[in-house]
Amino acid sequence: RQPATTAAPKASISQQKPAQRSFDFPEIPAPDETRAAEVEALLAKRMARITIEEPNVQTDGSISANGQSVHLYGIKPFNSKQLCKRASGEPWACGLHAYAMLRNTIAKKTIVCDPKTLLPNAVTATCRIGSTDIALMLVSDGLAELANNIDDTDLMNAQASAKILKLGIWDR
């Protein structure tokens, strides 16, 4: 028996033009101007000078008040549970020391913060008590390390000095 063969399909070219089709595209709503204005107002508010009368220090070194979270500009967040070793090999609670210093410095004081960058749920800001830059104070005492890509001369000089004097976290 011979296997059955199937005929190859025949193609034909039609001279007729295909029927015009019309599509009902859904209407794209106009931009929600109200929502855009709300977002713009929120961004402006987050980037405006912030005065905090009852600051609370979080365990990562951020400051919260009035529903906002502020990270000190120029320094890396720290962990209040972090342990460091001195050059002698003796362990010490460097994170707790930094947290306590920050908390005690700003407790029951009014601080003024000038936002620098927006974060997803916070801002980084230069914060001061009077004319004292809080991040600069922490870096000068060797209790905080500069964040990457910081080119603030005062902060860089303060960290270099703390390293030379082997203060705080630099006592290695």
Side-chain angles (χ1 to χ4, degrees):
R1 230 181 202 188
Q2 298 259 345
T5 59
T6 55
K10 293 183 179 178
S12 65
I13 299 176
S14 170
Q15 297 297 327
Q16 294 179 0
K17 291 183 179 180
Q20 289 285 355
R21 294 184 180 173
S22 68
F23 293 99
D24 291 327
F25 289 107
E27 284 194 33
I28 299 172
D32 186 348
E33 292 177 19
T34 304
R35 179 69 181 135
E38 288 172 0
V39 169
E40 191 171 313
L42 177 64
L43 290 176
K45 180 181 176 189
R46 287 182 64 190
M47 292 305 290
R49 177 170 276 179
I50 303 166
T51 301
I52 303 173
E53 295 185 10
E54 293 186 33
N56 296 306
V57 178
Q58 304 304 307
T59 58
D60 65 353
S62 63
I63 301 166
S64 65
N66 307 330
Q68 286 194 314
S69 186
V70 177
H71 293 267
L72 294 173
Y73 174 77
I75 65 170
K76 291 181 180 178
F78 56 82
N79 180 341
S80 66
K81 295 179 181 180
Q82 180 180 355
L83 294 176
C84 296
K85 283 195 177 191
R86 298 199 184 276
S88 65
E90 173 190 359
W92 67 289
C94 56
L96 183 59
H97 196 82
Y99 168 79
M101 172 75 137
L102 178 57
R103 188 191 67 221
N104 293 340
T105 298
I106 68 173
K108 300 192 187 280
K109 294 188 176 97
T110 298
I111 63 173
V112 176
C113 301
D114 292 309
K116 296 287 191 181
T117 59
L118 286 173
L119 301 173
N121 294 314
V123 294
T124 65
T126 300
C127 296
R128 292 181 166 71
I129 298 172
S131 63
T132 303
D133 182 324
I134 300 167
L136 183 62
M137 177 196 64
L138 290 169
V139 171
S140 296
D141 289 344
L143 297 175
E145 185 176 2
L146 289 185
N148 299 331
N149 302 322
I150 296 299
D151 61 359
D152 181 287
T153 307
D154 291 337
L155 286 171
M156 291 169 40
N157 289 340
Q159 180 167 289
S161 178
K163 283 182 176 182
I164 290 169
L165 297 173
K166 297 185 184 278
L167 298 176
I169 60 176
W170 307 112
D171 180 18
R172 301 179 187 164

